[in-house]
Amino acid sequence: MALATDDEEEIDAFLRRKRRWLFNAVRELEARAATRPVVSRFATGSKVPYRGRMVRLTVRRHDGPHIEISYRRGLVVDVPSWVRTDSAIATEIAVWLKQRVRRDVREIASVYQTKFDLRPRSIRVADMRGGWGSCGPSGSLTVSWLLIFAPRSVLEYVVAHELAHLKHRSHGRAFWSYLRSIMPSYEKPKAWLEVHQSSLNADFLRKANLR
């Protein structure tokens, strides 16, 4: 009987540990979900993520043939009267955001090239499956377009980080020392990215495309 009691106590202890783990896991998932942008539909007054904050969306109807997007204290979307679905608007917003971040990346890289003679073989902005940037063996840079949802300083940190790999391939002491020499303030945007990276996603655009 003593053995049975010991077994029961071990089982109870195991279940308590698992219950605590499950509770913590659910709480973490809820916390992450709370930080993700939610756009119920694309209408004036909705909020969309852009450069580290939620900005107001203004949707206007016009007689033109195309969806036109601009930024004036928020995202302004001029939609032809015949467009009735969120998916068309979401597609155009995604294209506009990617064009915007591509321009930003090239501007930042150009500054570092001028100041520090860091010359990547090519620069590409893409939908990366893992990580925020990479520097290939040939010196080709790739940056995630989802960084358009982070502050510009974070985007600059990622670009500078990958450019630093043109001089130092590994993340050793020499790499971080060199990165500091070209971007002395890199630690703050690096910390921001570590804390907020789970919130940098385009789920609100993908969900619209499913409607």
Side-chain angles (χ1 to χ4, degrees), residues 47-86:
K47 298 284 187 176
V48 296
Y50 181 66
R51 289 184 172 168
R53 59 195 182 95
M54 301 298 288
V55 301
R56 189 175 189 271
L57 181 68
T58 300
V59 178
R60 306 182 302 195
R61 293 288 170 177
H62 71 143
D63 295 327
H66 307 294
I67 295 175
E68 299 175 1
I69 301 175
S70 58
Y71 185 85
R72 294 189 293 274
R73 296 184 179 180
L75 214 58
V76 180
V77 184
D78 291 306
V79 184
S81 56
W82 55 267
V83 174
R84 295 297 176 187
T85 63
D86 276 0

Side-chain angles (χ1 to χ4, degrees), residues 58-177:
T58 300
V59 178
R60 306 182 302 195
R61 293 288 170 177
H62 71 143
D63 295 327
H66 307 294
I67 295 175
E68 299 175 1
I69 301 175
S70 58
Y71 185 85
R72 294 189 293 274
R73 296 184 179 180
L75 214 58
V76 180
V77 184
D78 291 306
V79 184
S81 56
W82 55 267
V83 174
R84 295 297 176 187
T85 63
D86 276 0
S87 60
I89 299 174
T91 298
E92 291 303 316
I93 289 177
V95 169
W96 186 87
L97 291 170
K98 290 177 181 180
Q99 290 174 341
R100 199 78 169 185
V101 72
R102 188 175 293 110
R103 184 199 68 184
D104 290 350
V105 167
R106 293 189 179 279
E107 285 179 354
I108 294 168
S110 177
V111 170
Y112 280 81
Q113 176 176 314
T114 301
K115 292 176 66 175
F116 306 107
D117 196 32
L118 294 170
R119 301 175 182 274
R121 182 170 183 176
S122 64
I123 301 174
R124 188 169 69 99
V125 173
D127 192 352
M128 300 182 68
R129 293 186 177 275
W132 299 107
S134 67
C135 179
S138 65
S140 299
L141 263 63
T142 303
V143 177
S144 171
W145 79 271
L146 295 178
L147 288 166
I148 193 62
F149 301 130
R152 186 181 169 97
S153 61
V154 175
L155 176 62
E156 181 180 351
Y157 158 68
V158 173
V159 174
H161 182 117
E162 301 310 328
L163 286 172
H165 280 308
L166 295 173
K167 299 290 185 180
H168 302 277
R169 297 302 302 175
S170 67
H171 287 109
R173 183 177 298 178
F175 169 83
W176 294 108
S177 177

